Coordinates of all heavy atoms in Angstrom, one line a residue:
M280 N -9.8 -0.7 2.9 CA -10.7 -0.6 1.7 C -11.4 -1.9 1.3 O -10.7 -2.9 1.2 CB -10.0 0.2 0.6 CG -10.3 -0.4 -0.6 SD -9.5 0.2 -2.0 CE -7.9 0.9 -1.5
D281 N -12.6 -1.9 1.3 CA -13.3 -3.1 0.8 C -13.5 -3.0 -0.7 O -13.9 -2.0 -1.3 CB -14.8 -3.3 1.5 CG -14.7 -3.5 3.0 OD1 -13.7 -4.1 3.4 OD2 -15.5 -3.0 3.8
L282 N -13.2 -4.3 -1.5 CA -13.5 -4.3 -2.9 C -14.5 -5.2 -3.1 O -14.6 -6.3 -2.4 CB -12.1 -4.7 -3.5 CG -11.0 -3.7 -3.2 CD1 -9.8 -4.3 -3.8 CD2 -11.2 -2.4 -3.8
Q283 N -15.2 -5.0 -4.2 CA -16.3 -6.0 -4.5 C -15.9 -6.8 -5.7 O -15.3 -6.3 -6.7 CB -17.5 -5.0 -4.9 CG -18.9 -5.8 -5.2 CD -20.0 -5.0 -5.5 OE1 -19.9 -3.8 -5.9 NE2 -21.1 -5.6 -5.2
I284 N -16.4 -8.0 -5.6 CA -16.0 -9.0 -6.7 C -17.4 -9.1 -7.5 O -18.5 -9.4 -6.8 CB -15.6 -10.3 -6.3 CG1 -14.2 -10.1 -5.6 CG2 -15.5 -11.3 -7.3 CD1 -13.5 -11.4 -5.1
A285 N -17.4 -9.0 -8.9 CA -18.6 -9.1 -9.6 C -18.3 -10.2 -10.7 O -17.2 -10.4 -11.2 CB -18.9 -7.9 -10.3
K286 N -19.4 -10.9 -11.0 CA -19.3 -11.8 -12.2 C -19.4 -11.1 -13.5 O -20.1 -10.2 -13.7 CB -20.6 -12.8 -12.1 CG -20.4 -13.9 -13.0 CD -21.4 -15.1 -12.7 CE -21.2 -16.1 -13.6 NZ -20.1 -17.1 -13.4
R287 N -18.3 -11.6 -14.4 CA -18.4 -10.9 -15.7 C -18.2 -12.2 -16.7 O -17.0 -12.6 -16.8 CB -17.2 -10.0 -15.7 CG -17.1 -9.1 -17.0 CD -16.2 -8.0 -17.0 NE -16.4 -7.1 -18.1 CZ -15.8 -6.1 -18.3 NH1 -15.0 -5.5 -17.4 NH2 -16.0 -5.2 -19.3
G288 N -19.2 -12.4 -17.4 CA -19.1 -13.5 -18.3 C -19.0 -14.8 -17.3 O -19.6 -15.2 -16.5
H289 N -18.0 -15.6 -17.7 CA -17.5 -16.8 -16.9 C -16.5 -16.5 -15.9 O -15.8 -17.5 -15.3 CB -17.2 -17.9 -17.9 CG -18.3 -18.5 -18.7 ND1 -19.3 -19.2 -18.3 CD2 -18.3 -18.3 -20.1 CE1 -20.2 -19.3 -19.2 NE2 -19.6 -19.0 -20.4
S290 N -16.1 -15.3 -15.6 CA -15.0 -14.9 -14.9 C -15.6 -14.1 -13.7 O -16.7 -13.6 -13.7 CB -13.9 -14.1 -15.6 OG -13.4 -14.9 -16.6
L291 N -14.7 -13.8 -12.8 CA -14.9 -12.8 -11.7 C -14.0 -11.7 -11.9 O -12.8 -11.7 -12.2 CB -14.7 -13.5 -10.3 CG -15.6 -14.6 -9.9 CD1 -15.2 -15.2 -8.7 CD2 -17.0 -14.1 -10.0
A292 N -14.6 -10.4 -11.6 CA -13.8 -9.1 -11.8 C -13.8 -8.5 -10.4 O -14.8 -8.5 -9.7 CB -14.6 -8.3 -12.8
L293 N -12.7 -7.9 -10.2 CA -12.5 -7.1 -9.0 C -12.8 -5.6 -9.3 O -12.1 -5.0 -10.1 CB -11.1 -7.3 -8.4 CG -10.7 -6.7 -7.1 CD1 -11.6 -7.2 -6.0 CD2 -9.2 -6.9 -6.9
R294 N -13.7 -5.0 -8.6 CA -13.9 -3.7 -8.9 C -13.2 -2.7 -8.0 O -13.0 -2.8 -6.7 CB -15.6 -3.3 -8.5 CG -16.4 -4.0 -9.4 CD -17.8 -3.6 -9.3 NE -18.7 -4.3 -10.2 CZ -20.0 -4.2 -10.2 NH1 -20.6 -3.4 -9.3 NH2 -20.8 -5.0 -10.9
L295 N -12.5 -1.7 -8.7 CA -11.6 -0.7 -7.9 C -12.4 0.6 -7.8 O -12.9 1.1 -8.9 CB -10.3 -0.6 -8.6 CG -9.5 -1.9 -8.9 CD1 -8.2 -1.5 -9.7 CD2 -8.9 -2.3 -7.6
P296 N -12.3 1.2 -6.7 CA -12.9 2.5 -6.5 C -12.2 3.5 -7.3 O -11.1 3.4 -7.6 CB -12.8 2.8 -5.0 CG -12.4 1.6 -4.4 CD -11.7 0.6 -5.5
S297 N -12.9 4.5 -7.9 CA -12.5 5.5 -8.7 C -11.2 6.3 -8.3 O -10.3 6.7 -8.9 CB -13.5 6.4 -9.3 OG -14.3 7.0 -8.1
A298 N -11.3 6.5 -6.9 CA -10.3 7.3 -6.3 C -9.0 6.5 -6.4 O -7.8 7.0 -6.6 CB -10.5 7.4 -4.8
V299 N -9.0 5.1 -6.3 CA -7.7 4.3 -6.4 C -7.3 4.4 -7.8 O -6.1 4.4 -8.1 CB -8.1 2.8 -6.0 CG1 -6.8 1.8 -6.2 CG2 -8.4 2.8 -4.4
V300 N -8.2 4.3 -8.7 CA -8.0 4.4 -10.1 C -7.2 5.6 -10.5 O -6.2 5.5 -11.2 CB -9.2 4.1 -11.1 CG1 -8.9 4.3 -12.6 CG2 -9.8 2.7 -10.8
R301 N -7.7 6.7 -10.0 CA -7.1 8.0 -10.3 C -5.7 8.1 -9.6 O -4.7 8.5 -10.2 CB -8.0 9.1 -9.8 CG -9.1 9.6 -10.7 CD -9.7 10.7 -10.2 NE -10.3 10.7 -8.8 CZ -11.5 10.3 -8.6 NH1 -12.3 9.9 -9.5 NH2 -11.8 10.3 -7.3
Q302 N -5.7 7.6 -8.3 CA -4.4 7.7 -7.6 C -3.4 6.9 -8.4 O -2.1 7.2 -8.4 CB -4.5 7.1 -6.2 CG -3.3 7.2 -5.4 CD -3.5 6.7 -3.9 OE1 -4.6 6.5 -3.5 NE2 -2.4 6.6 -3.3
L303 N -3.6 5.8 -8.9 CA -2.6 4.9 -9.6 C -2.4 5.2 -11.0 O -1.7 4.6 -11.7 CB -2.9 3.5 -9.4 CG -3.0 2.8 -7.9 CD1 -3.5 1.4 -8.0 CD2 -1.6 3.0 -7.4
G304 N -3.3 6.0 -11.5 CA -3.2 6.3 -13.0 C -3.6 5.3 -14.0 O -3.1 5.1 -15.0
L305 N -4.7 4.5 -13.4 CA -5.0 3.3 -14.1 C -6.0 3.6 -15.2 O -6.8 4.5 -15.2 CB -5.6 2.1 -13.3 CG -4.7 1.7 -12.3 CD1 -5.5 0.7 -11.4 CD2 -3.5 1.0 -12.9
R306 N -5.9 2.8 -16.4 CA -6.9 3.0 -17.5 C -7.4 1.6 -17.8 O -6.8 0.5 -17.6 CB -6.3 3.6 -18.6 CG -6.2 5.0 -18.4 CD -5.7 5.9 -19.7 NE -4.3 5.9 -19.5 CZ -3.5 6.6 -20.4 NH1 -4.1 7.2 -21.5 NH2 -2.2 6.5 -20.4
E307 N -8.6 1.5 -18.4 CA -9.1 0.3 -18.9 C -8.1 -0.5 -19.8 O -7.3 0.2 -20.7 CB -10.4 0.4 -19.8 CG -11.0 -0.8 -20.1 CD -12.3 -0.7 -20.8 OE1 -12.8 0.5 -20.8 OE2 -12.9 -1.7 -21.4
G308 N -7.8 -1.8 -19.6 CA -6.8 -2.4 -20.4 C -5.4 -2.5 -19.7 O -4.6 -3.3 -20.1
D309 N -5.2 -1.7 -18.7 CA -3.8 -1.7 -18.0 C -3.7 -3.0 -17.3 O -4.7 -3.7 -16.9 CB -3.8 -0.6 -16.8 CG -3.6 0.7 -17.5 OD1 -3.3 0.8 -18.7 OD2 -3.5 1.7 -16.8
T310 N -2.4 -3.4 -17.2 CA -2.2 -4.7 -16.5 C -1.7 -4.4 -15.0 O -1.0 -3.5 -14.7 CB -1.0 -5.4 -17.3 OG1 -1.4 -5.7 -18.7 CG2 -0.6 -6.8 -16.6
L311 N -2.3 -5.3 -14.1 CA -1.9 -5.3 -12.8 C -1.3 -6.5 -12.4 O -1.5 -7.6 -13.0 CB -3.1 -5.1 -11.9 CG -3.9 -3.9 -12.0 CD1 -5.2 -3.8 -11.2 CD2 -3.0 -2.6 -11.8
H312 N -0.3 -6.6 -11.5 CA 0.3 -7.7 -10.9 C -0.3 -8.1 -9.7 O -0.4 -7.4 -8.7 CB 1.8 -7.6 -10.8 CG 2.5 -8.7 -10.2 ND1 2.8 -9.8 -10.8 CD2 3.0 -8.9 -8.9 CE1 3.4 -10.9 -10.1 NE2 3.6 -10.3 -9.0
G313 N -0.8 -9.4 -9.5 CA -1.4 -9.9 -8.3 C -0.6 -11.0 -7.7 O 0.0 -11.8 -8.4
Q314 N -0.5 -11.0 -6.3 CA 0.3 -12.0 -5.6 C -0.4 -12.5 -4.4 O -0.8 -11.5 -3.7 CB 1.7 -11.6 -5.3 CG 2.5 -12.5 -4.6 CD 3.9 -11.9 -4.3 OE1 4.2 -10.8 -4.6 NE2 4.8 -12.8 -3.7
V315 N -0.5 -13.7 -4.2 CA -1.0 -14.2 -2.9 C 0.2 -14.2 -2.0 O 1.1 -15.0 -2.2 CB -1.7 -15.7 -3.1 CG1 -2.2 -16.1 -1.7 CG2 -2.9 -15.5 -4.1
T316 N 0.1 -13.7 -0.8 CA 1.1 -13.6 0.2 C 1.1 -14.7 1.2 O 0.1 -15.6 1.2 CB 1.2 -12.3 1.0 OG1 -0.1 -12.1 1.8 CG2 1.1 -11.0 0.1
A317 N 2.1 -14.9 2.0 CA 2.1 -16.1 2.9 C 1.0 -16.1 3.8 O 0.6 -17.2 4.3 CB 3.5 -15.9 3.7
D318 N 0.4 -15.0 4.2 CA -0.7 -15.0 5.0 C -2.0 -15.0 4.2 O -3.1 -14.6 4.9 CB -0.7 -13.9 6.1 CG -0.7 -12.4 5.4 OD1 -0.6 -12.5 4.2 OD2 -0.9 -11.5 6.1
D319 N -2.1 -15.5 3.1 CA -3.3 -15.6 2.2 C -3.9 -14.2 1.9 O -5.1 -14.2 1.7 CB -4.3 -16.6 2.8 CG -3.8 -18.1 2.8 OD1 -3.0 -18.4 1.9 OD2 -4.2 -18.9 3.6
A320 N -3.2 -13.2 1.9 CA -3.7 -11.9 1.5 C -3.4 -11.8 -0.1 O -2.5 -12.4 -0.6 CB -3.0 -10.7 2.3
L321 N -4.1 -10.9 -0.7 CA -3.9 -10.6 -2.1 C -3.3 -9.2 -2.2 O -3.8 -8.3 -1.8 CB -5.2 -10.7 -2.8 CG -5.2 -10.3 -4.3 CD1 -4.3 -11.2 -5.1 CD2 -6.6 -10.3 -4.9
A322 N -2.2 -9.2 -2.7 CA -1.5 -8.0 -3.0 C -1.5 -7.7 -4.4 O -1.2 -8.5 -5.3 CB 0.1 -8.0 -2.6
I323 N -2.1 -6.5 -4.8 CA -2.2 -6.1 -6.3 C -1.4 -4.7 -6.5 O -1.6 -3.8 -5.5 CB -3.6 -5.9 -6.6 CG1 -4.4 -7.1 -6.3 CG2 -3.9 -5.3 -7.9 CD1 -5.9 -7.0 -6.5
R324 N -0.6 -4.6 -7.4 CA 0.1 -3.5 -7.9 C 0.2 -3.3 -9.4 O 0.1 -4.3 -10.0 CB 1.5 -3.4 -7.2 CG 2.4 -4.5 -7.7 CD 3.7 -4.5 -6.9 NE 3.7 -4.3 -5.6 CZ 3.9 -5.4 -4.9 NH1 4.2 -6.6 -5.2 NH2 3.8 -5.2 -3.4
P325 N 0.4 -2.0 -9.9 CA 0.5 -1.9 -11.2 C 1.7 -2.8 -11.7 O 2.6 -2.9 -11.1 CB 0.8 -0.4 -11.4 CG 0.2 0.1 -10.3 CD 0.4 -0.8 -9.0
A326 N 1.6 -3.3 -13.0 CA 2.7 -4.3 -13.4 C 3.9 -3.5 -13.6 O 5.0 -4.1 -13.6 CB 2.2 -4.9 -14.8
G327 N 3.9 -2.2 -13.8 CA 5.1 -1.4 -14.0 C 5.9 -1.0 -12.8 O 6.8 -0.3 -12.7
W328 N 5.3 -1.5 -11.5 CA 5.8 -1.2 -10.2 C 7.2 -1.7 -10.1 O 7.7 -2.8 -10.5 CB 4.9 -1.9 -9.1 CG 5.3 -1.4 -7.8 CD1 5.0 -0.4 -7.1 CD2 6.1 -2.2 -6.9 NE1 5.5 -0.4 -5.9 CE2 6.2 -1.5 -5.6 CE3 6.7 -3.5 -7.0 CZ2 6.9 -2.0 -4.6 CZ3 7.5 -4.0 -5.9 CH2 7.6 -3.2 -4.8
S329 N 8.1 -0.8 -9.6 CA 9.4 -1.2 -9.4 C 9.9 -0.9 -8.0 O 9.7 0.2 -7.3 CB 10.3 -0.1 -10.3 OG 11.6 -0.1 -9.8
R330 N 10.5 -2.1 -7.5 CA 11.0 -1.9 -6.0 C 12.0 -0.9 -5.8 O 12.0 -0.2 -4.8 CB 11.5 -3.4 -5.7 CG 11.8 -3.5 -4.1 CD 12.2 -5.0 -3.8 NE 11.2 -5.9 -4.4 CZ 10.3 -6.4 -3.3 NH1 10.3 -6.0 -2.2 NH2 9.4 -7.3 -3.6
A331 N 12.8 -0.8 -6.8 CA 13.9 0.3 -6.7 C 13.3 1.7 -6.6 O 13.7 2.5 -6.0 CB 14.8 0.1 -7.9
S332 N 12.4 1.9 -7.5 CA 11.7 3.2 -7.5 C 10.9 3.4 -6.2 O 10.9 4.6 -5.7 CB 10.7 3.2 -8.7 OG 11.3 3.2 -9.9
F333 N 10.2 2.5 -5.8 CA 9.5 2.6 -4.4 C 10.6 2.9 -3.3 O 10.3 3.8 -2.5 CB 8.7 1.3 -4.1 CG 8.0 1.2 -2.8 CD1 6.9 2.2 -2.7 CD2 8.3 0.6 -1.8 CE1 6.3 2.3 -1.6 CE2 7.6 0.6 -0.6 CZ 6.5 1.5 -0.5
A334 N 11.7 2.2 -3.3 CA 12.8 2.6 -2.3 C 13.3 3.9 -2.4 O 13.5 4.6 -1.3 CB 13.8 1.5 -2.4
A335 N 13.3 4.4 -3.6 CA 13.9 5.7 -3.8 C 12.8 6.8 -3.2 O 13.2 7.8 -2.7 CB 14.1 6.0 -5.2
E336 N 11.5 6.5 -3.5 CA 10.5 7.4 -3.0 C 10.5 7.4 -1.4 O 10.3 8.4 -0.8 CB 9.2 6.8 -3.5 CG 8.9 7.1 -4.9 CD 7.5 6.7 -5.4 OE1 6.7 6.5 -4.6 OE2 7.5 6.2 -6.6
L337 N 10.6 6.2 -0.9 CA 10.7 6.1 0.6 C 11.9 7.0 1.1 O 11.7 7.6 2.2 CB 10.8 4.6 1.0 CG 9.5 3.8 1.0 CD1 9.9 2.4 1.5 CD2 8.4 4.3 1.9
C338 N 13.1 6.9 0.5 CA 14.2 7.7 1.0 C 13.9 9.2 0.8 O 14.3 9.8 1.9 CB 15.4 7.4 0.1 SG 16.1 5.7 0.5
E339 N 13.2 9.5 -0.3 CA 13.0 11.0 -0.3 C 11.9 11.4 0.7 O 12.1 12.5 1.4 CB 12.3 11.3 -1.6 CG 13.3 11.2 -2.9 CD 12.6 11.3 -4.3 OE1 11.5 11.8 -4.3 OE2 13.3 10.9 -5.1
A340 N 11.0 10.6 1.1 CA 9.8 11.0 2.0 C 10.6 11.0 3.4 O 10.3 11.8 4.2 CB 8.9 10.0 1.9
R341 N 11.5 10.0 3.6 CA 12.2 10.0 5.0 C 12.9 11.2 5.1 O 13.0 11.7 6.2 CB 13.1 8.7 5.1 CG 13.6 8.6 6.5 CD 14.2 7.3 6.6 NE 14.8 7.2 7.8 CZ 16.0 6.5 8.1 NH1 16.6 5.8 7.2 NH2 16.4 6.3 9.4
A342 N 13.5 11.6 4.2 CA 14.5 12.8 4.3 C 13.6 14.1 4.5 O 14.3 14.9 5.1 CB 15.4 12.9 2.9
A343 N 12.5 14.1 4.1 CA 11.6 15.2 4.2 C 11.1 15.3 5.7 O 10.6 16.4 6.1 CB 10.5 15.3 3.1
L344 N 11.2 14.2 6.4 CA 10.6 14.2 7.7 C 11.6 14.9 8.7 O 12.8 14.6 8.7 CB 10.3 12.8 8.3 CG 9.3 12.1 7.4 CD1 9.1 10.7 8.0 CD2 7.9 12.7 7.6
S345 N 11.1 15.7 9.6 CA 12.1 16.3 10.7 C 12.1 15.3 11.8 O 11.1 14.7 12.1 CB 11.5 17.6 11.1 OG 10.1 17.5 11.7
L346 N 13.3 15.1 12.2 CA 13.4 14.3 13.4 C 13.1 14.9 14.8 O 13.9 16.0 14.9 CB 14.8 13.6 13.4 CG 15.0 12.7 12.1 CD1 16.6 12.2 12.2 CD2 14.1 11.4 12.1
G347 N 12.5 14.3 15.5 CA 12.2 14.9 16.9 C 12.9 14.0 18.0 O 13.8 13.2 17.7
A348 N 12.5 14.3 19.1 CA 13.0 13.5 20.1 C 12.7 12.0 20.0 O 11.7 11.6 19.5 CB 12.5 14.0 21.5
S349 N 13.6 11.1 20.6 CA 13.4 9.7 20.5 C 12.2 9.4 21.2 O 12.0 9.7 22.4 CB 14.7 9.1 21.0 OG 14.4 7.7 21.3
V350 N 11.3 8.4 20.8 CA 10.1 8.1 21.3 C 10.5 7.2 22.6 O 9.9 7.3 23.6 CB 9.3 7.2 20.3 CG1 8.1 6.6 21.0 CG2 8.8 8.1 19.2
I351 N 11.6 6.4 22.4 CA 12.0 5.5 23.5 C 12.4 6.4 24.8 O 12.1 6.2 25.9 CB 13.1 4.5 23.1 CG1 12.5 3.6 22.0 CG2 13.6 3.8 24.3 CD1 11.4 2.8 22.5
D352 N 13.2 7.4 24.4 CA 13.7 8.3 25.4 C 12.5 9.0 26.2 O 12.4 9.2 27.3 CB 14.6 9.3 24.9 CG 16.1 8.8 24.5 OD1 16.3 7.6 25.0 OD2 16.7 9.5 23.7
R353 N 11.6 9.4 25.3 CA 10.4 10.1 26.0 C 9.6 9.0 26.8 O 9.1 9.5 27.9 CB 9.5 10.5 24.7 CG 8.3 11.3 25.2 CD 8.5 12.5 25.9 NE 7.4 13.1 26.5 CZ 6.8 14.2 26.2 NH1 7.6 15.2 25.4 NH2 5.9 14.8 26.8
L354 N 9.5 7.8 26.4 CA 8.7 6.9 27.2 C 9.5 6.6 28.6 O 8.9 6.5 29.5 CB 8.5 5.5 26.4 CG 7.6 5.6 25.3 CD1 7.7 4.2 24.6 CD2 6.1 5.8 25.9
H355 N 10.7 6.6 28.4 CA 11.6 6.4 29.7 C 11.4 7.6 30.6 O 11.3 7.4 31.9 CB 13.1 6.2 29.3 CG 13.4 4.9 28.8 ND1 14.3 4.6 27.8 CD2 13.0 3.6 29.3 CE1 14.3 3.4 27.6 NE2 13.6 2.7 28.5
Q356 N 11.3 8.7 30.1 CA 11.2 10.0 30.9 C 9.9 10.0 31.6 O 9.8 10.3 32.9 CB 11.4 11.2 30.1 CG 12.7 11.4 29.5 CD 12.8 12.6 28.6 OE1 11.7 13.2 28.2 NE2 13.9 13.1 28.1
D357 N 8.8 9.5 31.1 CA 7.5 9.6 31.5 C 7.2 8.3 32.4 O 6.1 8.2 32.8 CB 6.4 9.8 30.3 CG 6.5 11.0 29.7 OD1 7.3 12.0 30.3 OD2 6.1 11.2 28.5
A358 N 8.1 7.3 32.3 CA 7.8 6.1 33.0 C 7.6 6.3 34.5 O 8.3 7.1 35.1 CB 8.9 5.0 32.7
R359 N 6.7 5.6 35.2 CA 6.6 5.5 36.6 C 7.1 4.1 37.2 O 6.2 3.2 37.0 CB 5.2 5.8 37.0 CG 4.8 7.3 36.6 CD 3.3 7.5 36.9 NE 2.9 8.6 36.0 CZ 1.6 8.8 35.8 NH1 0.6 8.1 36.5 NH2 1.3 9.8 35.2
Y360 N 8.2 4.0 37.6 CA 8.7 2.7 38.1 C 8.4 2.5 39.6 O 8.4 3.5 40.4 CB 10.1 2.5 38.0 CG 10.4 2.4 36.4 CD1 10.9 3.6 35.8 CD2 10.1 1.2 35.8 CE1 11.3 3.4 34.4 CE2 10.4 1.1 34.4 CZ 10.9 2.2 33.7 OH 11.2 2.1 32.4

């Protein structure tokens, strides 16, 4: 997703698409946490974000996935040596 930076007074503001605002449940005045990563990327998340909550959501999502045949086994079966 491309985000646009706009000048606001003497500062710069990052514009978020309305779909992202709705998905994250953001409102004007909410606080976001920003971090520059090792590869000079900008990571932004709601300030209330919890690593433990995120891990729990991942576990729930993983449990809901049905496991099929191993991809590696399938590649070995289809390999032409």
Side-chain angles (χ1 to χ4, degrees):
M280 137 185 23
D281 292 331
L282 302 175
Q283 185 179 23
I284 296 178
K286 187 162 178 85
R287 188 165 191 178
H289 294 294
S290 300
L291 296 177
L293 186 63
R294 293 183 182 183
L295 300 174
S297 60
V299 172
V300 172
R301 279 192 305 275
Q302 181 179 353
L303 297 176
L305 298 175
R306 288 186 263 187
E307 186 176 352
D309 283 354
T310 301
L311 300 175
H312 175 75
Q314 179 180 5
V315 177
T316 62
D318 60 348
D319 289 332
L321 176 61
I323 301 173
R324 63 178 51 97
W328 184 83
S329 162
R330 190 176 297 267
S332 296
F333 182 66
E336 288 177 28
L337 286 178
C338 286
E339 288 175 19
R341 184 175 183 209
L344 295 174
S345 60
L346 296 177
S349 166
V350 172
I351 298 299
D352 290 342
R353 181 64 188 239
L354 288 172
H355 283 139
Q356 290 172 359
D357 295 342
R359 297 180 200 161
Y360 294 101

